[in-house]
Amino acid sequence: MFSKKNLCSLALACLLPLSLGATGAQAEHGTQLAAPEVPQPTLAVAPAQEPTPVYLDPEVIREHESFSHFAHRRVRSMNEVMIGGRHSMQVHKGADGLYRASFRAIDLDGVVCQVRRSESNPHFFVGNLIYKEQVLQSVAKSAEACRQGPFEPVSEKPNRLIFTSGRGGGWR
């Protein structure tokens, strides 16, 4: 007779070719046995919180106002001490006999201030001061007349300065 151990081995040996044969037959006919459905656990995923839009963030609005005042004071100060500024106007007589007076100045109407939260630390803010440095020139028949103007921009150079601020800590 067969022992229990031999009977189990014999039963497995008989079943294995049958299951392999069924899989081969299914592949030939394009059919497939349905696997028993096992319930999968569902995970409740919270919707991703999007950052508050800048125009709705009261801290960014407050810091933008603070930065705008700071930036405009800074630009006026830079205009007063600028090398080649109005206080050191250059006057030259051209080959055509006309005088040309020129100086450098920052376009105060074109100043742009941008404020955002720092990407690395949302308690800090980053401010961009964007401005254009212009060369203004006046042309007249006499040196005194050209010093009086009117002055027109003849060239401009864009500039950007970046400042940082802690929450209510002032701009530097």
Side-chain angles (χ1 to χ4, degrees):
M1 286 282 176
F2 293 105
S3 68
K4 283 185 182 182
K5 182 177 166 184
N6 289 338
L7 280 175
C8 288
S9 298
L10 184 61
L12 281 174
C14 291
L15 289 176
L16 187 60
L18 289 175
S19 68
L20 288 176
T23 307
Q26 289 170 357
E28 283 179 19
H29 299 295
T31 60
Q32 197 169 6
L33 290 177
E37 288 191 34
V38 178
Q40 297 293 324
T42 57
L43 298 175
V45 178
Q49 287 187 354
E50 294 187 22
T52 305
V54 172
Y55 62 89
L56 294 178
D57 189 341
E59 285 185 275
V60 172
I61 293 169
R62 180 179 43 84
E63 290 296 329
H64 186 273
E65 187 176 312
S66 169
F67 181 68
S68 292
H69 291 299
F70 165 80
H72 282 90
R73 280 193 315 268
R74 183 70 164 239
V75 167
R76 282 192 298 276
S77 172
M78 288 168 36
N79 245 350
E80 291 173 7
V81 298
M82 182 180 291
I83 296 173
R86 192 186 249 318
H87 63 279
S88 58
M89 186 182 303
Q90 304 268 327
V91 179
H92 299 284
K93 185 174 184 177
D96 57 0
L98 296 175
Y99 289 87
R100 286 174 175 72
S102 62
F103 66 93
R104 293 179 19 209
I106 295 173
D107 178 18
L108 297 176
D109 295 332
V111 171
V112 176
C113 300
Q114 299 171 337
V115 174
R116 64 177 171 77
R117 287 188 182 274
S118 169
E119 292 176 7
S120 60
N121 185 345
H123 296 291
F124 286 89
F125 298 91
V126 177
N128 288 317
L129 169 58
I130 302 168
Y131 64 93
K132 294 176 190 166
E133 186 179 306
Q134 297 178 325
V135 174
L136 301 168
Q137 188 177 61
S138 174
V139 179
K141 292 183 179 181
S142 71
E144 259 326 292
C146 74
R147 285 185 205 273
Q148 301 303 316
F151 289 91
E152 298 294 324
V154 291
S155 69
E156 61 183 30
K157 176 182 147 192
N159 291 286
R160 175 184 302 244
L161 297 175
I162 301 172
F163 298 90
T164 61
S165 170
R167 187 179 288 168
W171 291 95
R172 52 185 182 272

